[in-house]
Amino acid sequence: MSGQVPGPAERAAKAFGDLHGQEPAGVWFAPGRVNLIGEHTDYNDGFVLPLALPQGVAAAGRRRDDAILRVRSGQVDEPVEVALADLAPGALDGWGAYPAAAAWALRSAGLGIGGADLVLDSDVPSGAGLSSSHALQCAVALALLGLADLELDRTQIAKLVRTAENDFVGAPTGIMDQMASLHGRAGHLTFLDTRTLVVEHVLFDLDAAGLALLVIDSRAPHALVDGEYAERRASCEAAAAELGVPALRDVSLDELPEALARLEDPVAARRARHVVTENDRVLTVVATLRAGRDPREIGPLLTASHTSLRDDFEVTVPQVDTAVEAALSSGAWGSRMTGGGFGGCVLALVDTDRVGQVVVAVEEAYRRAGFTPPAAFVARASEGARRVR
């Protein structure tokens, strides 16, 4: 469209043509995600409620006959080239580990993935906790499957991408991000039971309510491949084992006081309290939205989630807490960190006519604190991963 800034799919296709002198055989796109509520519940067999973003990663590609995977990115100067037969955990590091991991997981599952030339492009802010790495892997997986003329159930693709992330990249993440990217639906939240992997779509029509979901990039460094995330996961697993349940999802809110009394480690008790109360908050938000009630009613639940993540799970940082406090003090109905924590983004449920006011308040709070200025955008629930040409 004339005057429209090219998106990642258009940029990837053009870059492919410039590099290879021909059009790509296809272009695939996978969105990033923002999680409305349900943080650190996915690896505890719990409930999550993300939405797919308009922003995402595109992969333009064609087949190769020599079993070589060659990947370039519009965001990284250094290309990646690796023989498929040489793919194994630890074979690559840096950004190239992510597309290589997707190829490795597909081939390890016995799928006939061949060599490929891929050109990637993204408009997901990297390091913001919006699942840019999972979007990349989902886009690459769809491209490799498409180029091999293979079809696979979306949930199965999500499982394979999780395997890629866990076993090849070395990040012990759950399955929420992949499922949100692959199962997203415009105008809806993706309600996922991470134990059964049953997906239900929940209408999320903020426009009709005069509301907006504001996402604020805290600009604090965000990294999950470190000991902090792994420690939280191990602590949750240890708490579940001590309580004699398969996962913390199996502890109800009514059972929580007794469960906490049984946990000897106060840190494990705080981690467990977050997971159990967060699962309950997700279910309450879903029930509220399904009943067609005013979405403003979920605001206090979003804020309670942040308080729990700050005090019990201890995954917030000063920039994130400052953004939440400023958003709430300037009129947001609710606000919380979103993503794995230790940086990343904050979301705020805001009346549409107060979006600018909230953004200015957060910027001013950052200025007073001496933080790097934040960035903000309004999120809209969008379609999931797909072939776009």
Side-chain angles (χ1 to χ4, degrees):
M1 187 179 298
S2 178
Q4 188 175 35
V5 177
E10 292 79 12
R11 294 197 302 266
K14 182 180 185 304
F16 189 98
D18 292 344
L19 183 65
H20 296 289
Q22 60 180 274
E23 291 288 307
V27 182
W28 293 262
F29 177 83
R33 65 93 189 96
V34 66
N35 190 25
L36 182 69
I37 194 165
E39 225 63 78
H40 289 277
T41 52
D42 59 343
Y43 54 80
N44 288 290
D45 283 1
F47 304 99
V48 294
L49 195 61
L51 56 95
L53 292 169
Q55 297 93 331
V57 178
R62 69 175 180 186
R63 300 183 194 185
R64 292 176 61 97
D65 296 328
D66 56 3
I68 296 291
L69 177 65
R70 181 180 293 163
V71 189
R72 291 181 177 269
S73 169
Q75 285 64 53
V76 185
D77 291 334
E78 184 179 354
V80 172
E81 183 171 325
V82 62
L84 295 176
D86 294 338
L87 289 176
L92 290 90
D93 55 16
W95 84 272
Y98 292 93
W104 169 81
L106 294 173
R107 285 174 57 85
S108 297
L111 297 165
I113 300 301
D117 286 315
L118 298 178
V119 175
L120 310 180
D121 203 289
S122 172
D123 60 356
V124 183
S126 179
L130 299 175
S131 196
S132 58
S133 64
H134 292 105
L136 184 157
Q137 289 178 308
C138 288
V140 169
L142 286 183
L144 293 175
L145 288 167
L147 292 172
D149 295 322
L150 296 172
E151 291 190 9
L152 204 61
D153 173 81
R154 290 303 179 91
T155 296
Q156 186 60 33
I157 298 173
K159 290 179 179 179
L160 291 173
V161 173
R162 176 180 59 182
T163 297
E165 185 86 355
N166 292 173
D167 297 344
F168 194 103
V169 177
T173 56
I175 201 168
M176 173 185 68
D177 297 347
Q178 303 92 328
M179 292 289 281
S181 183
L182 289 159
H183 285 284
R185 179 181 294 178
H188 290 75
L189 301 166
T190 301
F191 175 42
L192 171 65
D193 179 335
T194 65
R195 171 169 286 168
T196 65
L197 298 186
V198 170
V199 169
E200 299 176 36
H201 291 101
V202 179
L203 184 64
F204 195 50
D205 189 359
L206 294 186
D207 288 343
L211 289 167
L213 188 66
L214 182 65
V215 177
I216 303 160
D217 182 351
S218 72
R219 295 294 175 91
H222 175 88
L224 291 183
V225 187
D226 57 24
E228 293 286 356
Y229 189 101
E231 184 278 328
R232 298 308 186 280
R233 183 164 187 163
S235 184
C236 290
E237 291 170 353
E242 189 174 349
L243 294 172
V245 294
L248 289 176
R249 177 251 181 78
D250 297 296
V251 180
S252 71
L253 194 63
D254 290 341
E255 296 166 338
L256 181 59
E258 179 186 352
L260 295 179
R262 291 168 53 196
L263 291 172
E264 295 184 3
D265 180 2
V267 173
R270 291 199 303 273
R271 306 291 188 255
R273 179 166 57 200
H274 165 72
V275 173
V276 174
T277 58
E278 186 80 344
N279 276 325
D280 186 73
R281 284 186 286 268
V282 174
L283 296 176
T284 303
V285 168
V286 169
T288 300
L289 295 174
R290 279 180 173 162
R293 286 154 55 187
D294 189 336
R296 291 171 180 82
E297 292 184 27
I298 72 173
L301 294 164
L302 303 182
T303 304
S305 171
H306 182 80
T307 300
S308 181
L309 288 160
R310 182 192 65 204
D311 298 344
D312 281 345
F313 226 68
E314 299 177 287
V315 291
T316 70
V317 294
Q319 293 94 324
V320 165
D321 292 330
T322 296
V324 168
E325 291 162 9
L328 292 171
S329 66
S330 58
W333 292 97
S335 184
R336 62 180 290 270
M337 62 147 275
T338 183
F342 312 109
C345 285
V346 162
L347 58 80
L349 187 65
V350 182
D351 288 325
T352 304
D353 59 3
R354 303 189 77 167
V355 167
Q357 175 182 318
V358 172
V359 171
V360 169
V362 174
E363 291 173 343
E364 177 60 20
Y366 264 52
R367 187 192 64 77
R368 290 195 303 268
F371 297 146
T372 301
F377 65 92
V378 172
R380 294 184 179 275
S382 302
E383 284 298 316
R386 59 202 183 273
R387 183 170 184 164
V388 293
R389 57 180 288 185

